[in-house]
Amino acid sequence: MTNKHVNAVVVGSGAGGGVVAKELAVGGLSVVLFERGKWARYDDHNNDELTSQRTFPLGAYFGPDNERYRRVAVDQHGNERIVYPNDWAYHNNAACVGSGTVSYGAMAWRFMEECFKFKSTYGHIEGSSTADWPITYDDLEPYYEKAEWDIGVAGDDYRNPFAPWRRRAHPMPPFKHNREARMLEGAAIKAGFHPFPIPMLRNSIPYGGRPPCIRMRNCVGFACPVNAKCGTQNTVIPVAIDTGNCELRTECQVYEVMTNGNGRVTGVAYFDERDRRQVQTADIVILSASATETARLLLNSKSPLFPDGIGNSYDQVGRNLQGHAYCGADGLVEEEVYDDVGPGASIAICDFAHNNPGITGGAMLANEFIRMPYLFTGVRPPGSARWGKAHKDFQKNFFKRHVSIRGPVQEVPNPESRVQVSQEVKDHWGIPVARISGFKLDEDIRTARFIAGKAEEWLRAAGAAQIWLSVPGTGVSGSQHQSGTCRMGDDPQSSVTNRYGQVHGVDNLFVADGSLHVTNGAFNPVLTIMALGYWVSDYVVKEWNHGNRF
Amino acid sequence: MNAKSISRRNFIKMSAIGAGCLCIPGCAGTPATYHYILTAREAEILDALADQIIPPDEYAGGREAGVTNFIDKQLSGFYNEHVPMYRACLMALDETCRDIYGREFTVLEFDTQTSYLEDIESGKYNDRDWNGYTASSFFGTLRNHCLQGFYGSPRHGGNKDYVSYRMMKLDYPFLVGRNVH
Ligand SMILES: Cc1cc2nc3c(=O)[nH]c(=O)nc-3n(C[C@H](O)[C@H](O)[C@H](O)COP(=O)(O)OP(=O)(O)OC[C@H]3O[C@@H](n4cnc5c(N)ncnc54)[C@H](O)[C@@H]3O)c2cc1C
Ligand code: SF4
């Protein structure tokens, strides 16, 4: 049986795709939203750290599975190995309806104005492909607001003197600090910093027909038992389905974007839940499969007109892969600061996100989410015992006296950090898998060292007795913050899409996910990805309603 | 599960029952457990290793908390690919031990076991052929698995009676709406 032709296919129901499906469906287009995973629920893994999306030695509960998925990881010496989703080198995010937005920590950051102008702010950096975004913060501001109100954010940016301008306050008041954050608040002020509560995609009051958060230990890496965490799966996707215009097709693995002899996209080919090959035709296709998988899809969509993959005439697809150069400091304090009020991350400063003399970029700094027991076994000052009595004693004595500050250092993009498709390795369906290679620039590490030093200052002001710094290695980053692989730009020779996420030279093909990011901000990326979902959709729907069929 | 492992399972089960018959209640004999993958001897070595990684104190150690059970259970499932490594390295660990200390690992003094493992961890025996594996990297994997068994959810076969959570003063079992705030 052939599938009925629709106006739009959206591939991937995560942060970007969920938003696009809703906006297009509400805008009157008929939509099929494809998701390779299933609906995810809380019940089956409620206290199971080993299968959470944050620490997953026994497999990531929110997908993808180790049986059908694999990738090739290339280290800095060029050694290749096959990796599975429960390996950090796989660079996983998630695979279920809502993707990472089901199990995320839900920090809801707007990028700052400088984040969109990285090159003009910091100049060219040797070895990089640094660039400004083709759009500015001002362009995206209304769409940030839309994301905040549509999906739900609790926060108070007016307490952050470095916050970018905004038209409208957050829809929900910020959360109250837990004991650790109250302690850190005084310390930050003492150090001369400007602390404020982290904006969160979690209900602090009833919102969107869902109850407020009950402040649990296991939030990041888990689904929410009371639906207080705001993801696309419990906000925009249900709205999309309720319009009657959107069909969500789960357990469907899209493997190719199809084109005709004129170079126009005609739809997608996919394997359904029973591994049968199927085709879904559409007037337009929007790829929201995440930075790694969107790039892989484009590269795997080869035809005589596109011998190297769609949108890849200038060898740009898959390049500039970036996550964040995460860094920070850990400290041990005299008094117990752990009060079991989750999710832990609560307080932040933006003093060092930009404008650090002599430094390229910077990062927001925040206290960490609660470290679960197994994760905490890896938290030790350098030189400590990794096992045995001393290791057990540390676990016992310091779990409630440990404070951790972390910051996502904005990386300078480089073209050698990239997603390609493997020539040899195939997935369960016989489709070439993503091959991830690359490195961070020395400049990223230099900034990370600077930011870790600021985290140390904060902990010192908090009276931490023992402090140790954490600075990342030079390996390629991606994982939960993966972005940049199909960046937007005005020049087709150095970008993959235009400012509206429309793939250069293929008018009815769009991208709307982390792939679009030119630089990844000094912040966690998800609210920006959602805002871009609204931005791209707004363009598509407006044009569509003017009769443009691209 | 294939025929071979079923027969091994039955065999271990039988021998465990046999041991149980000889054991008067309360004696410190081998507990009447059987394993999917591990032989009785392998399990015995692993028990000793688990107690080294997480030594007993006022709270249970790795052995009592079921770390061996956790590893056995994972080896029969998610960690299946690690079976050959465990099989090869547990025996090699014992062999090198007899070579260096003249005795089996499980009968060494606790502190001697510790220093032997410290040497393994630091790479002192990496020039020995552990049936194709490197001693220190086996130890690294073993250590991670023991910590997972002790600190992970009891549903995976370790962390008996939530011992590690009790030790860290965390409320468990986790009941939504009860012990949350
Ligand atoms: C534990 C955790 C904590 C996090 N915490 C935060 C946080 O606090 N703040 C923050 O900003 N970000 C956080 N993130 C990151 C955030 O979730 C991601 O940035 C965001 O989800 C990425 O959006 P995306 O649209 O680019 O891709 P995704 O949201 O990953 O969506 C891609 C979707 O496409 C599907 N897909 C892929 N390929 C195919 C295919 N071929 N066919 C069909 N479907 C396909 C995938 O299954 C997935 O559902 C966290 C993530 C995790 C896992
Ligand atoms: S801490 Fe709040 S948002 Fe997070 S899972 Fe628990 S109730 Fe949901």
Side-chain angles (χ1 to χ4, degrees), chain A residues 423-465:
Chain A
Q423 302 300 319
E424 301 89 28
V425 183
K426 310 237 166 33
D427 66 12
H428 165 76
W429 298 271
I431 307 300
V433 304
R435 175 185 188 273
I436 298 180
S437 59
F439 46 82
K440 297 187 199 72
L441 297 176
D442 293 342
E443 195 67 10
D444 302 327
I445 308 303
R446 200 166 76 86
T447 305
R449 246 186 234 115
F450 170 81
I451 294 294
K454 295 298 172 189
E456 180 187 17
E457 263 179 55
W458 194 352
L459 289 174
R460 212 167 283 296

mmCIF file of all heavy atoms in Angstrom, chain A residues 423-465:
data_model
loop_
_atom_site.group_PDB
_atom_site.id
_atom_site.type_symbol
_atom_site.label_atom_id
_atom_site.label_comp_id
_atom_site.label_asym_id
_atom_site.label_seq_id
_atom_site.Cartn_x
_atom_site.Cartn_y
_atom_site.Cartn_z
ATOM 1 N N GLN A 423 32.491 4.035 4.872
ATOM 2 C CA GLN A 423 32.487 3.264 3.632
ATOM 3 C C GLN A 423 32.200 1.790 3.905
ATOM 4 O O GLN A 423 31.705 1.077 3.044
ATOM 5 C CB GLN A 423 33.852 3.370 2.926
ATOM 6 C CG GLN A 423 34.275 4.790 2.581
ATOM 7 C CD GLN A 423 33.291 5.477 1.643
ATOM 8 O OE1 GLN A 423 32.783 4.865 0.705
ATOM 9 N NE2 GLN A 423 32.999 6.744 1.903
ATOM 10 N N GLU A 424 32.494 1.331 5.114
ATOM 11 C CA GLU A 424 32.395 -0.111 5.398
ATOM 12 C C GLU A 424 31.265 -0.489 6.353
ATOM 13 O O GLU A 424 30.634 -1.522 6.183
ATOM 14 C CB GLU A 424 33.696 -0.644 6.025
ATOM 15 C CG GLU A 424 34.950 -0.470 5.202
ATOM 16 C CD GLU A 424 35.639 0.858 5.472
ATOM 17 O OE1 GLU A 424 35.488 1.379 6.603
ATOM 18 O OE2 GLU A 424 36.303 1.383 4.573
ATOM 19 N N VAL A 425 31.064 0.347 7.376
ATOM 20 C CA VAL A 425 30.180 -0.095 8.451
ATOM 21 C C VAL A 425 28.733 0.320 8.177
ATOM 22 O O VAL A 425 28.455 1.463 7.820
ATOM 23 C CB VAL A 425 30.653 0.473 9.805
ATOM 24 C CG1 VAL A 425 29.773 -0.040 10.936
ATOM 25 C CG2 VAL A 425 32.110 0.094 10.037
ATOM 26 N N LYS A 426 27.821 -0.641 8.347
ATOM 27 C CA LYS A 426 26.406 -0.377 8.094
ATOM 28 C C LYS A 426 25.594 -0.650 9.352
ATOM 29 O O LYS A 426 26.015 -1.409 10.218
ATOM 30 C CB LYS A 426 25.917 -1.301 6.969
ATOM 31 C CG LYS A 426 26.825 -1.275 5.737
ATOM 32 C CD LYS A 426 26.038 -0.880 4.538
ATOM 33 C CE LYS A 426 26.821 -0.498 3.314
ATOM 34 N NZ LYS A 426 28.067 -1.116 3.002
ATOM 35 N N ASP A 427 24.416 -0.055 9.416
ATOM 36 C CA ASP A 427 23.541 -0.306 10.563
ATOM 37 C C ASP A 427 22.686 -1.552 10.308
ATOM 38 O O ASP A 427 22.847 -2.247 9.299
ATOM 39 C CB ASP A 427 22.693 0.935 10.878
ATOM 40 C CG ASP A 427 21.703 1.272 9.764
ATOM 41 O OD1 ASP A 427 21.505 0.437 8.853
ATOM 42 O OD2 ASP A 427 21.135 2.381 9.805
ATOM 43 N N HIS A 428 21.769 -1.817 11.204
ATOM 44 C CA HIS A 428 20.862 -2.968 11.114
ATOM 45 C C HIS A 428 20.165 -3.057 9.759
ATOM 46 O O HIS A 428 19.863 -4.134 9.269
ATOM 47 C CB HIS A 428 19.837 -2.832 12.253
ATOM 48 C CG HIS A 428 18.643 -3.697 12.140
ATOM 49 N ND1 HIS A 428 18.672 -5.048 12.423
ATOM 50 C CD2 HIS A 428 17.361 -3.419 11.766
ATOM 51 C CE1 HIS A 428 17.473 -5.555 12.239
ATOM 52 N NE2 HIS A 428 16.655 -4.595 11.836
ATOM 53 N N TRP A 429 19.882 -1.909 9.156
ATOM 54 C CA TRP A 429 19.128 -1.888 7.899
ATOM 55 C C TRP A 429 20.047 -1.896 6.673
ATOM 56 O O TRP A 429 19.573 -1.771 5.557
ATOM 57 C CB TRP A 429 18.221 -0.654 7.859
ATOM 58 C CG TRP A 429 17.192 -0.652 8.950
ATOM 59 C CD1 TRP A 429 15.940 -1.205 8.893
ATOM 60 C CD2 TRP A 429 17.305 -0.063 10.258
ATOM 61 N NE1 TRP A 429 15.281 -1.000 10.086
ATOM 62 C CE2 TRP A 429 16.088 -0.309 10.932
ATOM 63 C CE3 TRP A 429 18.323 0.627 10.926
ATOM 64 C CZ2 TRP A 429 15.863 0.120 12.248
ATOM 65 C CZ3 TRP A 429 18.098 1.048 12.233
ATOM 66 C CH2 TRP A 429 16.873 0.785 12.875
ATOM 67 N N GLY A 430 21.369 -1.942 6.920
ATOM 68 C CA GLY A 430 22.301 -1.951 5.799
ATOM 69 C C GLY A 430 22.652 -0.568 5.278
ATOM 70 O O GLY A 430 23.168 -0.420 4.167
ATOM 71 N N ILE A 431 22.386 0.458 6.080
ATOM 72 C CA ILE A 431 22.667 1.836 5.661
ATOM 73 C C ILE A 431 23.993 2.294 6.274
ATOM 74 O O ILE A 431 24.228 2.070 7.472
ATOM 75 C CB ILE A 431 21.519 2.773 6.125
ATOM 76 C CG1 ILE A 431 20.162 2.225 5.661
ATOM 77 C CG2 ILE A 431 21.756 4.194 5.629
ATOM 78 C CD1 ILE A 431 19.994 2.076 4.174
ATOM 79 N N PRO A 432 24.864 2.932 5.483
ATOM 80 C CA PRO A 432 26.153 3.385 6.022
ATOM 81 C C PRO A 432 25.979 4.283 7.256
ATOM 82 O O PRO A 432 25.116 5.167 7.273
ATOM 83 C CB PRO A 432 26.762 4.180 4.859
ATOM 84 C CG PRO A 432 26.142 3.581 3.637
ATOM 85 C CD PRO A 432 24.750 3.191 4.033
ATOM 86 N N VAL A 433 26.769 4.027 8.277
ATOM 87 C CA VAL A 433 26.611 4.745 9.547
ATOM 88 C C VAL A 433 27.454 6.017 9.557
ATOM 89 O O VAL A 433 28.314 6.222 8.696
ATOM 90 C CB VAL A 433 26.994 3.859 10.748
ATOM 91 C CG1 VAL A 433 26.186 2.579 10.754
ATOM 92 C CG2 VAL A 433 28.500 3.568 10.768
ATOM 93 N N ALA A 434 27.202 6.863 10.546
ATOM 94 C CA ALA A 434 27.973 8.089 10.700
ATOM 95 C C ALA A 434 29.382 7.760 11.185
ATOM 96 O O ALA A 434 29.590 6.839 11.990
ATOM 97 C CB ALA A 434 27.285 9.011 11.700
ATOM 98 N N ARG A 435 30.321 8.533 10.679
ATOM 99 C CA ARG A 435 31.725 8.386 11.076
ATOM 100 C C ARG A 435 32.145 9.740 11.633
ATOM 101 O O ARG A 435 32.065 10.756 10.934
ATOM 102 C CB ARG A 435 32.540 8.031 9.831
ATOM 103 C CG ARG A 435 34.030 7.950 10.026
ATOM 104 C CD ARG A 435 34.669 7.699 8.653
ATOM 105 N NE ARG A 435 36.094 7.408 8.756
ATOM 106 C CZ ARG A 435 37.028 8.346 8.778
ATOM 107 N NH1 ARG A 435 36.701 9.620 8.722
ATOM 108 N NH2 ARG A 435 38.304 8.014 8.865
ATOM 109 N N ILE A 436 32.550 9.760 12.901
ATOM 110 C CA ILE A 436 32.807 11.030 13.580
ATOM 111 C C ILE A 436 34.293 11.196 13.852
ATOM 112 O O ILE A 436 34.926 10.315 14.444
ATOM 113 C CB ILE A 436 32.010 11.098 14.901
ATOM 114 C CG1 ILE A 436 30.510 11.039 14.585
ATOM 115 C CG2 ILE A 436 32.354 12.355 15.686
ATOM 116 C CD1 ILE A 436 29.614 11.092 15.789
ATOM 117 N N SER A 437 34.842 12.300 13.400
ATOM 118 C CA SER A 437 36.271 12.540 13.613
ATOM 119 C C SER A 437 36.507 14.016 13.881
ATOM 120 O O SER A 437 35.641 14.851 13.603
ATOM 121 C CB SER A 437 37.063 12.107 12.371
ATOM 122 O OG SER A 437 36.615 12.845 11.241
ATOM 123 N N GLY A 438 37.686 14.322 14.412
ATOM 124 C CA GLY A 438 38.040 15.727 14.598
ATOM 125 C C GLY A 438 38.659 16.016 15.948
ATOM 126 O O GLY A 438 39.116 15.114 16.646
ATOM 127 N N PHE A 439 38.674 17.283 16.305
ATOM 128 C CA PHE A 439 39.394 17.721 17.514
ATOM 129 C C PHE A 439 38.919 19.108 17.908
ATOM 130 O O PHE A 439 38.253 19.792 17.132
ATOM 131 C CB PHE A 439 40.895 17.763 17.232
ATOM 132 C CG PHE A 439 41.227 18.425 15.925
ATOM 133 C CD1 PHE A 439 41.288 19.809 15.818
ATOM 134 C CD2 PHE A 439 41.435 17.660 14.771
ATOM 135 C CE1 PHE A 439 41.565 20.433 14.601
ATOM 136 C CE2 PHE A 439 41.705 18.279 13.552
ATOM 137 C CZ PHE A 439 41.774 19.657 13.464
ATOM 138 N N LYS A 440 39.293 19.494 19.114
ATOM 139 C CA LYS A 440 39.082 20.882 19.519
ATOM 140 C C LYS A 440 40.347 21.669 19.210
ATOM 141 O O LYS A 440 41.450 21.103 19.196
ATOM 142 C CB LYS A 440 38.815 20.972 21.023
ATOM 143 C CG LYS A 440 37.553 20.270 21.490
ATOM 144 C CD LYS A 440 37.323 20.582 22.976
ATOM 145 C CE LYS A 440 36.378 19.593 23.619
ATOM 146 N NZ LYS A 440 36.940 18.249 23.828
ATOM 147 N N LEU A 441 40.199 22.963 19.004
ATOM 148 C CA LEU A 441 41.360 23.814 18.777
ATOM 149 C C LEU A 441 42.021 24.167 20.115
ATOM 150 O O LEU A 441 41.360 24.185 21.153
ATOM 151 C CB LEU A 441 40.947 25.098 18.066
ATOM 152 C CG LEU A 441 40.353 24.926 16.662
ATOM 153 C CD1 LEU A 441 39.883 26.271 16.112
ATOM 154 C CD2 LEU A 441 41.373 24.289 15.711
ATOM 155 N N ASP A 442 43.302 24.487 20.076
ATOM 156 C CA ASP A 442 44.010 24.885 21.302
ATOM 157 C C ASP A 442 43.331 26.071 21.965
ATOM 158 O O ASP A 442 43.320 26.200 23.185
ATOM 159 C CB ASP A 442 45.467 25.242 20.985
ATOM 160 C CG ASP A 442 46.253 24.022 20.542
ATOM 161 O OD1 ASP A 442 45.772 22.892 20.806
ATOM 162 O OD2 ASP A 442 47.327 24.190 19.925
ATOM 163 N N GLU A 443 42.754 26.916 21.118
ATOM 164 C CA GLU A 443 42.074 28.103 21.635
ATOM 165 C C GLU A 443 40.910 27.715 22.553
ATOM 166 O O GLU A 443 40.652 28.397 23.551
ATOM 167 C CB GLU A 443 41.571 28.938 20.444
ATOM 168 C CG GLU A 443 41.173 30.349 20.770
ATOM 169 C CD GLU A 443 42.352 31.239 21.205
ATOM 170 O OE1 GLU A 443 43.521 30.824 21.081
ATOM 171 O OE2 GLU A 443 42.084 32.352 21.677
ATOM 172 N N ASP A 444 40.217 26.637 22.211
ATOM 173 C CA ASP A 444 39.103 26.168 23.050
ATOM 174 C C ASP A 444 39.617 25.752 24.430
ATOM 175 O O ASP A 444 38.980 26.018 25.446
ATOM 176 C CB ASP A 444 38.395 24.964 22.401
ATOM 177 C CG ASP A 444 37.867 25.282 21.008
ATOM 178 O OD1 ASP A 444 37.469 26.436 20.777
ATOM 179 O OD2 ASP A 444 37.854 24.369 20.162
ATOM 180 N N ILE A 445 40.746 25.094 24.440
ATOM 181 C CA ILE A 445 41.301 24.604 25.708
ATOM 182 C C ILE A 445 41.782 25.785 26.552
ATOM 183 O O ILE A 445 41.629 25.810 27.775
ATOM 184 C CB ILE A 445 42.474 23.619 25.447
ATOM 185 C CG1 ILE A 445 42.036 22.519 24.471
ATOM 186 C CG2 ILE A 445 42.992 23.033 26.758
ATOM 187 C CD1 ILE A 445 40.835 21.712 24.896
ATOM 188 N N ARG A 446 42.332 26.778 25.867
ATOM 189 C CA ARG A 446 42.799 27.968 26.576
ATOM 190 C C ARG A 446 41.616 28.663 27.266
ATOM 191 O O ARG A 446 41.699 29.044 28.444
ATOM 192 C CB ARG A 446 43.477 28.933 25.588
ATOM 193 C CG ARG A 446 44.390 29.950 26.212
ATOM 194 C CD ARG A 446 45.251 30.619 25.151
ATOM 195 N NE ARG A 446 44.502 31.606 24.382
ATOM 196 C CZ ARG A 446 44.336 32.889 24.749
ATOM 197 N NH1 ARG A 446 44.884 33.320 25.858
ATOM 198 N NH2 ARG A 446 43.649 33.717 23.994
ATOM 199 N N THR A 447 40.513 28.785 26.553
ATOM 200 C CA THR A 447 39.324 29.396 27.154
ATOM 201 C C THR A 447 38.799 28.519 28.297
ATOM 202 O O THR A 447 38.414 29.034 29.349
ATOM 203 C CB THR A 447 38.222 29.592 26.088
ATOM 204 O OG1 THR A 447 38.775 30.341 25.012
ATOM 205 C CG2 THR A 447 37.019 30.331 26.656
ATOM 206 N N ALA A 448 38.804 27.218 28.077
ATOM 207 C CA ALA A 448 38.313 26.299 29.114
ATOM 208 C C ALA A 448 39.145 26.438 30.387
ATOM 209 O O ALA A 448 38.608 26.434 31.497
ATOM 210 C CB ALA A 448 38.345 24.856 28.607
ATOM 211 N N ARG A 449 40.445 26.603 30.238
ATOM 212 C CA ARG A 449 41.304 26.780 31.419
ATOM 213 C C ARG A 449 40.935 28.061 32.170
ATOM 214 O O ARG A 449 40.859 28.080 33.386
ATOM 215 C CB ARG A 449 42.773 26.840 30.976
ATOM 216 C CG ARG A 449 43.521 25.657 31.489
ATOM 217 C CD ARG A 449 45.007 25.725 31.220
ATOM 218 N NE ARG A 449 45.340 24.499 30.531
ATOM 219 C CZ ARG A 449 45.767 24.408 29.299
ATOM 220 N NH1 ARG A 449 45.998 25.503 28.595
ATOM 221 N NH2 ARG A 449 46.002 23.248 28.770
ATOM 222 N N PHE A 450 40.682 29.099 31.392
ATOM 223 C CA PHE A 450 40.297 30.379 31.994
ATOM 224 C C PHE A 450 38.979 30.233 32.759
ATOM 225 O O PHE A 450 38.848 30.666 33.911
ATOM 226 C CB PHE A 450 40.172 31.434 30.886
ATOM 227 C CG PHE A 450 39.545 32.723 31.333
ATOM 228 C CD1 PHE A 450 40.297 33.687 32.010
ATOM 229 C CD2 PHE A 450 38.198 32.972 31.092
ATOM 230 C CE1 PHE A 450 39.705 34.877 32.432
ATOM 231 C CE2 PHE A 450 37.599 34.157 31.514
ATOM 232 C CZ PHE A 450 38.362 35.111 32.183
ATOM 233 N N ILE A 451 38.000 29.600 32.133
ATOM 234 C CA ILE A 451 36.678 29.460 32.754
ATOM 235 C C ILE A 451 36.758 28.548 33.986
ATOM 236 O O ILE A 451 36.128 28.829 35.020
ATOM 237 C CB ILE A 451 35.658 28.916 31.718
ATOM 238 C CG1 ILE A 451 35.439 29.966 30.611
ATOM 239 C CG2 ILE A 451 34.344 28.532 32.369
ATOM 240 C CD1 ILE A 451 34.756 31.245 31.072
ATOM 241 N N ALA A 452 37.536 27.477 33.885
ATOM 242 C CA ALA A 452 37.697 26.587 35.050
ATOM 243 C C ALA A 452 38.278 27.373 36.222
ATOM 244 O O ALA A 452 37.901 27.158 37.385
ATOM 245 C CB ALA A 452 38.590 25.404 34.691
ATOM 246 N N GLY A 453 39.160 28.306 35.917
ATOM 247 C CA GLY A 453 39.738 29.162 36.960
ATOM 248 C C GLY A 453 38.676 30.026 37.632
ATOM 249 O O GLY A 453 38.732 30.280 38.838
ATOM 250 N N LYS A 454 37.705 30.461 36.860
ATOM 251 C CA LYS A 454 36.614 31.259 37.438
ATOM 252 C C LYS A 454 35.726 30.383 38.329
ATOM 253 O O LYS A 454 35.247 30.840 39.376
ATOM 254 C CB LYS A 454 35.782 31.914 36.324
ATOM 255 C CG LYS A 454 36.568 32.935 35.515
ATOM 256 C CD LYS A 454 37.022 34.076 36.422
ATOM 257 C CE LYS A 454 37.986 35.024 35.719
ATOM 258 N NZ LYS A 454 38.591 35.997 36.656
ATOM 259 N N ALA A 455 35.496 29.157 37.896
ATOM 260 C CA ALA A 455 34.731 28.219 38.731
ATOM 261 C C ALA A 455 35.466 27.996 40.051
ATOM 262 O O ALA A 455 34.865 27.936 41.128
ATOM 263 C CB ALA A 455 34.537 26.899 37.988
ATOM 264 N N GLU A 456 36.774 27.898 39.952
ATOM 265 C CA GLU A 456 37.598 27.723 41.157
ATOM 266 C C GLU A 456 37.445 28.924 42.096
ATOM 267 O O GLU A 456 37.277 28.765 43.309
ATOM 268 C CB GLU A 456 39.064 27.551 40.748
ATOM 269 C CG GLU A 456 40.001 27.375 41.919
ATOM 270 C CD GLU A 456 41.481 27.380 41.510
ATOM 271 O OE1 GLU A 456 41.787 27.840 40.384
ATOM 272 O OE2 GLU A 456 42.301 26.948 42.323
ATOM 273 N N GLU A 457 37.457 30.131 41.515
ATOM 274 C CA GLU A 457 37.275 31.339 42.335
ATOM 275 C C GLU A 457 35.968 31.289 43.115
ATOM 276 O O GLU A 457 35.909 31.666 44.287
ATOM 277 C CB GLU A 457 37.237 32.583 41.424
ATOM 278 C CG GLU A 457 38.541 33.326 41.294
ATOM 279 C CD GLU A 457 38.395 34.518 40.344
ATOM 280 O OE1 GLU A 457 37.517 35.364 40.572
ATOM 281 O OE2 GLU A 457 39.173 34.571 39.357
ATOM 282 N N TRP A 458 34.932 30.842 42.418
ATOM 283 C CA TRP A 458 33.604 30.760 43.025
ATOM 284 C C TRP A 458 33.632 29.782 44.221
ATOM 285 O O TRP A 458 33.140 30.072 45.303
ATOM 286 C CB TRP A 458 32.583 30.318 41.966
ATOM 287 C CG TRP A 458 31.144 30.489 42.338
ATOM 288 C CD1 TRP A 458 30.640 30.854 43.560
ATOM 289 C CD2 TRP A 458 30.009 30.291 41.473
ATOM 290 N NE1 TRP A 458 29.268 30.890 43.505
ATOM 291 C CE2 TRP A 458 28.850 30.561 42.240
ATOM 292 C CE3 TRP A 458 29.861 29.925 40.126
ATOM 293 C CZ2 TRP A 458 27.557 30.460 41.706
ATOM 294 C CZ3 TRP A 458 28.587 29.828 39.586
ATOM 295 C CH2 TRP A 458 27.435 30.096 40.372
ATOM 296 N N LEU A 459 34.256 28.617 43.983
ATOM 297 C CA LEU A 459 34.315 27.616 45.053
ATOM 298 C C LEU A 459 35.188 28.084 46.217
ATOM 299 O O LEU A 459 34.916 27.790 47.381
ATOM 300 C CB LEU A 459 34.845 26.289 44.505
ATOM 301 C CG LEU A 459 33.883 25.537 43.583
ATOM 302 C CD1 LEU A 459 34.559 24.303 42.989
ATOM 303 C CD2 LEU A 459 32.623 25.140 44.345
ATOM 304 N N ARG A 460 36.203 28.841 45.890
ATOM 305 C CA ARG A 460 37.072 29.382 46.947
ATOM 306 C C ARG A 460 36.272 30.341 47.832
ATOM 307 O O ARG A 460 36.354 30.284 49.061
ATOM 308 C CB ARG A 460 38.284 30.079 46.324
ATOM 309 C CG ARG A 460 39.531 29.972 47.171
ATOM 310 C CD ARG A 460 40.798 30.386 46.438
ATOM 311 N NE ARG A 460 41.296 29.364 45.512
ATOM 312 C CZ ARG A 460 41.745 28.158 45.847
ATOM 313 N NH1 ARG A 460 41.750 27.771 47.106
ATOM 314 N NH2 ARG A 460 42.185 27.311 44.942
ATOM 315 N N ALA A 461 35.482 31.170 47.164
ATOM 316 C CA ALA A 461 34.645 32.107 47.930
ATOM 317 C C ALA A 461 33.624 31.349 48.774
ATOM 318 O O ALA A 461 33.151 31.851 49.801
ATOM 319 C CB ALA A 461 33.933 33.064 46.975
ATOM 320 N N ALA A 462 33.296 30.126 48.343
ATOM 321 C CA ALA A 462 32.345 29.312 49.108
ATOM 322 C C ALA A 462 33.032 28.582 50.257
ATOM 323 O O ALA A 462 32.399 27.830 50.987
ATOM 324 C CB ALA A 462 31.674 28.305 48.176
ATOM 325 N N GLY A 463 34.336 28.782 50.363
ATOM 326 C CA GLY A 463 35.072 28.185 51.476
ATOM 327 C C GLY A 463 35.418 26.721 51.266
ATOM 328 O O GLY A 463 35.689 26.008 52.230
ATOM 329 N N ALA A 464 35.394 26.243 50.025
ATOM 330 C CA ALA A 464 35.748 24.846 49.773
ATOM 331 C C ALA A 464 37.179 24.577 50.213
ATOM 332 O O ALA A 464 38.081 25.384 49.952
ATOM 333 C CB ALA A 464 35.580 24.522 48.292
ATOM 334 N N ALA A 465 37.358 23.472 50.922
ATOM 335 C CA ALA A 465 38.678 23.158 51.472
ATOM 336 C C ALA A 465 39.597 22.638 50.372
ATOM 337 O O ALA A 465 40.727 23.066 50.223
ATOM 338 C CB ALA A 465 38.525 22.117 52.564
#
